[in-house]
Amino acid sequence: DNGPPTPVITFDSSEIISCNAGVLDCRELADTSQALTLAWVCQDTTSYLDKLNANVVRMNSGTGSSQYGLQEVADSLVKDWSSYERPSGFPAMNLTVRDAELVFDPSGNIATVLYFLEMEAGYRWSYFDNELFFEVYVKEGGQWQLTHQADSTVLNFNADTGEPLDFFFFDWSY
């Protein structure tokens, strides 16, 4: 056993099912969303917060909370991460973005991203979850910044088949 794997997030261009902008703009926004999620999974607080707008609003169904502004988001991250098995100091999970819809406003400085996030997680045991994310980004200083995020977890839904997932409940402690 080589120990738990490093987290991976996959956001393949083929999973962008609609985008009303050019290929490069769509890929740049998708890359920003992917980097934000990878920073969260790897518990890279500095990198994660660098991708947020100062006035960010984040609604997290996993913790049942909302945060307003960078400081509240920063203060909530430990609680976010504590609900996952962390054998190497970060959550043991691989994430795949599916069915992403990117919509740019006419100015090109505001965009939304709606996507399913499939999670294969766990180290001592494995489980699967499917989450729905809605994100709003603003472009400031040539960089996309997250300004709003809402998610819905434990959807019990397979985006590929449209069928419910089988799942089980479990507990663990450290």
Side-chain angles (χ1 to χ4, degrees):
D1 183 2
N2 296 330
T6 302
V8 173
I9 176 167
T10 304
F11 193 159
D12 188 273
S13 295
S14 67
E15 290 298 336
I16 298 175
I17 60 171
S18 67
C19 182
N20 66 337
V23 172
L24 293 178
D25 289 330
C26 293
R27 190 69 249 171
E28 179 185 27
L29 183 59
D31 288 348
T32 299
S33 180
Q34 179 179 5
L36 178 78
T37 304
L38 186 60
W40 182 89
V41 172
C42 291
Q43 297 182 178
D44 183 347
T45 302
T46 301
S47 181
Y48 183 80
L49 295 175
D50 283 348
K51 293 167 183 46
L52 304 185
N53 182 273
N55 298 311
V56 65
V57 175
R58 188 170 161 261
M59 297 182 297
N60 183 321
S61 64
T63 59
S65 65
S66 296
Q67 301 90 43
Y68 303 89
L70 286 174
Q71 190 58 55
E72 285 190 20
V73 171
D75 293 345
S76 74
L77 292 176
V78 170
K79 185 176 181 182
D80 284 3
W81 296 322
S82 69
S83 61
Y84 296 97
E85 184 181 22
R86 299 176 318 280
S88 294
F90 46 78
M93 61 179 62
N94 289 323
L95 306 168
T96 303
V97 173
R98 305 285 254 172
D99 298 338
E101 298 178 29
L102 289 68
V103 178
F104 291 75
D105 83 325
S107 74
N109 293 319
I110 300 172
T112 61
V113 181
L114 177 69
Y115 60 91
F116 285 99
L117 187 64
E118 292 181 349
M119 177 190 337
E120 293 180 46
Y123 178 61
R124 294 174 291 175
W125 60 87
S126 63
Y127 64 96
F128 179 86
D129 191 11
N130 197 345
E131 302 180 12
L132 179 64
F133 277 80
F134 177 72
E135 300 172 338
V136 179
Y137 288 87
V138 295
K139 196 167 199 176
E140 291 187 1
Q143 301 296 314
W144 287 107
Q145 297 178 333
L146 181 74
T147 189
H148 297 287
Q149 183 183 61
D151 68 73
S152 180
T153 59
V154 193
L155 294 179
N156 191 31
F157 175 78
N158 183 318
D160 287 334
T161 66
E163 298 294 321
L165 297 171
D166 293 327
F167 65 95
F168 63 95
F169 293 97
F170 58 90
D171 291 314
W172 74 85
S173 63
Y174 286 98

